[in-house]
Amino acid sequence: SFCTHFNSDSTQTYITYEFLDADSNVLCTKSGVVQCNCMCSTAGANIAEGVPVIVVENSFTKVDYDSTKCCWEFSLKNNYSCTFKDDFYLEVIDYGTGATYTALTGWKDTLISGSHHFSSTSGGLKFNTTSKVFRVCVSPQFGTTPPPISVSFKEQNHDLPCRNFQSIPLQCVGEENCCDKLNIELKAYSHSFHDCAFDLFMSNKGTMNKCKVFGVRIISGEGDTLYTLSPQSTALDLDVKKQIWYLNKGECIPSPYTGLPQYRKEGYTIEILDSTGAVKCSVSDTIRCCSTEAIPKAAIQDPTPIPLSVGGMITEAKIEGNSLHYSIKNMGDDLSATIQLTDLKGNNIKKRTLNLTKGNSAGEFDISHLPNGTYFISVQTDLWQTSRQIVIQK
């Protein structure tokens, strides 16, 4: 800490620091600029003409964390025996979309040209008091960190800041992995050798520090989105084990050498979504089905899962002759849906709209004109979407 004489003809003082060795030789130098435009004032008069006596301490304290938001509070402290008038304020640059700012007791927030001006409503920042000025909150996305926030202490009559608090890091995201708080089970459903089918079950591990799940997306090992449960207005109730998704890949293929079903590997990534549709966390795994080994009895005696009150799935997609027969299970209320058949390039071949009632619905597509190959049948609604791969071999 040091003081320097203030030149009333300038708002800046240039300082050079010299770093010395044991023999007082200069090792290196560093030059900087001190802004001297902020002056302590009482009753509108400057004390000791132009003497800069403002010292403030900045403090960002993380005050709230859960799976949906991170919040910090910014505090100021005046270490000197003078009161700064109402024309002193904090300018905060809005660093990112989705951040919310709240003026705390004794301060008001005025939005000017994209920046927040926090000014005191209690007669200025007084001697030897610490004041909480504002709170900033963001919705975290796992694996990312909010950009640094920019804060400046300014006086209305000067363009230059009294002091900058630039690039203050806000650390919060990634400290907790939402998926660690969930029981996620994606496993082979059928204990027979006939079908390669999967179920996805999900529940919270405990009652404390729950992971708030608003939506789910399932991506195949090839990067295709197989199922999406779009974000709901409220978090899903996962206090009990729930079935989220079911997929039957079809009949197992026997080995040409042994005649027994061959292993089939299916890679998946399960993404947990927040209320905005952003990915909070994800887990990846590889599932084997059509096993030639007997599955332990305990593996097929799980308690019956409770389905979600929303969502849906294609429960069957079967080719018979020149027709593709499909069945859809809608676990929520009646809603409009679009069903389409596409090729591997995403070209639309067949498309129709219909109203899905709660429960099971069935229909068919004429595929007599389609050549052999791989296709996808998909169902799209406002709340969820899912798809199934089919192979046409005539």
Side-chain angles (χ1 to χ4, degrees):
S1 178
F2 63 90
C3 295
T4 182
H5 184 268
F6 174 66
N7 183 356
S8 59
D9 295 330
S10 174
T11 60
Q12 296 179 337
T13 295
Y14 293 89
I15 302 294
T16 298
Y17 307 92
E18 294 183 343
F19 298 88
L20 312 178
D21 62 14
D23 298 323
S24 297
N25 298 313
V26 177
L27 295 173
C28 59
T29 62
K30 175 70 174 179
S31 296
V33 178
V34 177
Q35 302 288 355
C36 300
N37 60 306
C38 290
M39 293 165 282
C40 181
S41 58
T42 301
N46 293 329
I47 297 179
E49 184 182 357
V51 177
V53 295
I54 176 174
V55 176
V56 290
E57 296 177 355
N58 71 295
S59 173
F60 260 111
T61 303
K62 189 170 65 178
V63 295
D64 192 7
Y65 178 82
D66 60 27
S67 59
T68 59
K69 67 177 180 178
C70 289
C71 296
W72 299 265
E73 287 183 353
F74 183 87
S75 300
L76 279 178
K77 184 177 181 181
N78 177 14
N79 286 345
Y80 279 78
S81 55
C82 59
T83 297
F84 297 100
K85 297 193 305 179
D86 293 340
D87 57 355
F88 286 93
Y89 65 96
L90 280 172
E91 182 181 60
V92 182
I93 304 301
D94 192 344
Y95 65 85
T97 303
T100 58
Y101 297 83
T102 304
L104 300 176
T105 303
W107 295 81
K108 65 179 180 179
D109 178 15
T110 304
L111 192 62
I112 301 176
S113 301
S115 63
H116 296 262
H117 288 196
F118 291 94
S119 55
S120 174
T121 60
S122 58
L125 186 61
K126 294 182 172 58
F127 163 62
N128 203 26
T129 60
T130 299
S131 176
K132 291 184 177 181
V133 181
F134 68 92
R135 179 186 297 128
V136 56
C137 295
V138 297
S139 295
Q141 297 183 26
F142 179 73
T144 62
T145 301
I149 196 169
S150 175
V151 184
S152 299
F153 193 75
K154 290 187 174 182
E155 186 182 8
Q156 296 284 3
N157 297 326
H158 294 83
D159 294 330
L160 294 174
C162 307
R163 182 175 175 184
N164 284 328
F165 307 116
Q166 297 287 345
S167 301
I168 300 173
L170 302 181
Q171 298 291 338
C172 181
V173 179
E175 292 183 0
E176 296 191 40
N177 187 341
C178 183
C179 290
D180 290 341
K181 301 177 181 180
L182 293 171
N183 290 310
I184 300 176
E185 301 175 61
L186 180 61
K187 60 184 181 180
Y189 169 80
S190 176
H191 58 277
S192 70
F193 295 156
H194 303 296
D195 292 323
C196 182
F198 300 96
D199 272 331
L200 170 62
F201 306 111
M202 190 177 296
S203 63
N204 275 303
K205 288 183 178 179
T207 58
M208 301 297 293
N209 298 320
K210 299 177 183 178
C211 175
K212 294 183 179 179
V213 179
F214 291 84
V216 178
R217 183 184 298 120
I218 302 176
I219 301 173
S220 72
E222 292 76 30
D224 298 320
T225 298
L226 301 178
Y227 178 75
T228 299
L229 177 63
S230 301
Q232 311 299 303
S233 57
T234 58
L236 304 178
D237 180 10
L238 297 179
D239 289 340
V240 294
K241 185 177 181 180
K242 284 186 171 61
Q243 181 180 2
I244 305 293
W245 180 62
Y246 167 79
L247 174 67
N248 190 331
K249 297 289 288 184
E251 186 176 356
C252 293
I253 302 174
S255 167
Y257 304 104
T258 65
L260 296 174
Q262 299 182 89
Y263 271 120
R264 291 178 62 178
K265 295 181 180 180
E266 300 291 340
Y268 293 95
T269 296
I270 304 169
E271 296 181 338
I272 304 303
L273 310 180
D274 65 13
S275 58
T276 67
V279 179
K280 299 172 66 172
C281 63
S282 63
V283 295
S284 299
D285 202 355
T286 300
I287 303 298
R288 292 181 177 88
C289 60
C290 301
S291 171
T292 57
E293 300 176 3
I295 296 179
K297 185 176 181 181
I300 60 175
Q301 289 184 334
D302 291 337
T304 302
I306 302 174
L308 288 174
S309 59
V310 293
M313 60 189 70
I314 301 173
T315 55
E316 185 179 52
K318 181 171 58 176
I319 297 175
E320 293 182 354
N322 290 322
S323 298
L324 168 62
H325 297 268
Y326 59 83
S327 296
I328 303 168
K329 183 177 182 180
N330 176 27
M331 295 180 287
D333 297 329
D334 297 355
L335 77 174
S336 177
T338 300
I339 303 176
Q340 59 182 350
L341 187 65
T342 58
D343 60 19
L344 282 175
K345 295 182 180 180
N347 298 318
N348 182 42
I349 299 172
K350 298 276 188 177
K351 184 177 182 180
R352 66 178 59 147
T353 59
L354 72 161
N355 292 322
L356 288 180
T357 58
K358 186 173 183 178
N360 297 312
S361 301
E364 64 180 73
F365 280 122
D366 178 16
I367 58 172
S368 59
H369 63 291
L370 296 181
N372 291 345
T374 301
Y375 299 85
F376 291 94
I377 180 173
S378 62
V379 179
Q380 173 78 52
T381 74
D382 291 337
L383 295 178
W384 52 268
Q385 63 181 29
T386 184
S387 63
R388 288 278 299 273
Q389 177 180 300
I390 60 170
V391 178
I392 297 178
Q393 291 180 334
K394 298 179 181 178

